[in-house]
Amino acid sequence: MSVVVFALVQLVPGDPIRLALGTRFDQETYDALLARSGLDQPLVQQYLTWAGRAVTGDLGVSFRSGETVTSLIAERLPATLTLALASILVALLIAVPLGTISALRPRSLVDRVATVLSQIGISVPEFWMAIVLILVFAGTLGWLPSGGYVGLTEDPAGWAQRLLLPAVVTGVVSGSVITRFVRSSVLEALGADHVRTAQAKGLPRRQVFTWHVLRNALLPLVTVTGVQLAYLLSGVVVVEIVFSWPGLGQLALQAVQARDYPVLQGAILLFAVTFLVINLVVDLLYTAIDPRIRR
């Protein structure tokens, strides 16, 4: 993955040294910054140097600001973690009840309404939904701020107010995706032989659902929730821009615009590691949910 990240960043057009120096500079200054950044070395040597330092946590120094990439990522990480966790919570609060009720009453009015709502949630662009919510709740009603970010320790009330709208926007989209998986997995579990046997034995409906249906339906839910969480942790660029949310997605976009190779490489590598770690956690959760996998 590090090879792919490094190779893709090299394909970004533009000269990062010229962008960092601006319009007025001499050749000596240009050559000095080129040598200091290591861009005068062959690509293989550049990769080996970068990868060797990345293993120790040193992702380099930003061409644009002169700060270390690690410090820039650490500065943006709390905002991204906050938004991702709040969004996945909103998504699960929407998806689990809606998908479950829809599966328990297939082809009913509730099922059809849930299907339509989930399709709308998937289809509506995030930026449009974000702008509408800002116009209604910040512009017209004045209940919530239109954007920005403050730390939880600085102002808990302001933190919650600024978090609500972006979390709802991203949570609705993720929740619409998860709803479909919950419905299909619960329907599949309801049709299993052991569930019909439990129902024939006269077990209470709640017990059958809790012990025989829900546990078997959890595996697809854990999978898709893990994927959605990894996606959110990688930064939702459009939502971050609309709500002026200082997350990792916005940092990566700014790095692309400034041709800031070290920041871009560090951010994309972090996104890749995030996906790998979350997939590993999901695999480990499988063994806790389904004893057959342990055997």
Side-chain angles (χ1 to χ4, degrees):
M1 194 63 218
S2 66
V3 173
V4 174
V5 169
F6 183 83
L8 288 175
V9 169
Q10 301 305 315
L11 297 176
V12 177
D15 188 342
I17 304 300
R18 291 183 181 275
L19 287 172
L21 291 175
T23 56
R24 295 183 179 181
F25 61 90
D26 53 31
Q27 189 62 38
E28 184 178 350
T29 305
Y30 179 89
D31 293 339
L33 185 55
L34 187 69
R36 191 178 70 182
S37 60
L39 294 180
D40 59 338
Q41 301 292 326
L43 286 178
V44 174
Q45 183 61 42
Q46 289 183 40
Y47 168 74
L48 292 175
T49 302
W50 172 71
R53 290 175 177 173
V55 171
T56 64
D58 181 6
L59 297 174
V61 178
S62 168
F63 293 159
R64 185 180 183 182
S65 64
E67 300 179 59
T68 62
V69 176
T70 306
S71 65
L72 289 173
I73 290 176
E75 183 182 335
R76 302 291 187 107
L77 196 57
T80 296
L81 283 173
T82 300
L83 180 57
L85 294 177
S87 300
I88 208 69
L89 178 62
V90 171
L92 291 175
L93 289 175
I94 294 172
V96 174
L98 196 60
T100 302
I101 295 172
S102 184
L104 292 174
R105 299 178 180 178
R107 299 183 184 87
S108 65
L109 179 61
V110 175
D111 184 26
R112 296 181 189 279
V113 170
T115 302
V116 171
L117 290 178
S118 64
Q119 185 61 46
I120 292 174
I122 294 172
S123 305
V124 171
E126 290 181 335
F127 71 88
W128 183 85
M129 192 188 307
I131 292 171
V132 169
L133 290 181
I134 289 173
L135 287 174
V136 173
F137 292 100
T140 305
L141 300 176
W143 291 352
L144 298 169
S146 60
Y149 172 79
V150 294
L152 175 61
T153 56
E154 298 175 18
D155 182 7
W159 170 83
Q161 289 176 343
R162 287 168 173 81
L163 175 62
L164 187 58
L165 289 182
V168 167
V169 171
T170 50
V172 165
V173 175
S174 296
S176 301
V177 175
I178 298 173
T179 298
R180 295 191 164 212
F181 282 88
V182 172
R183 180 185 181 277
S184 61
S185 59
V186 171
L187 273 176
E188 184 179 351
L190 284 170
D193 292 339
H194 66 278
V195 173
R196 288 198 295 266
T197 302
Q199 291 171 338
K201 289 166 63 177
L203 291 178
R205 187 174 182 181
R206 179 175 296 180
Q207 185 177 347
V208 172
F209 178 77
T210 304
W211 289 101
H212 300 285
V213 175
L214 187 59
R215 289 195 67 179
N216 286 279
L218 277 178
L219 289 179
L221 174 61
V222 169
T223 302
V224 69
T225 302
V227 172
Q228 290 296 316
L229 180 59
Y231 161 71
L232 293 170
L233 285 171
S234 299
V236 277
V237 180
V238 174
V239 173
E240 290 179 2
I241 291 174
V242 173
F243 288 103
S244 301
W245 194 265
L248 291 174
Q250 196 175 108
L251 177 66
L253 178 63
Q254 292 170 354
V256 171
Q257 294 170 339
R259 309 299 188 271
D260 199 340
Y261 289 174
V263 175
L264 185 57
Q265 289 172 172
I268 297 176
L269 186 63
L270 178 63
F271 299 157
V273 171
T274 299
F275 268 92
L276 291 173
V277 169
I278 288 180
N279 282 332
L280 175 61
V281 171
V282 167
D283 288 342
L284 295 175
L285 284 175
Y286 282 172
T287 63
I289 296 171
D290 191 345
R292 295 172 297 180
I293 296 177
R294 287 199 296 270
R295 290 195 292 268

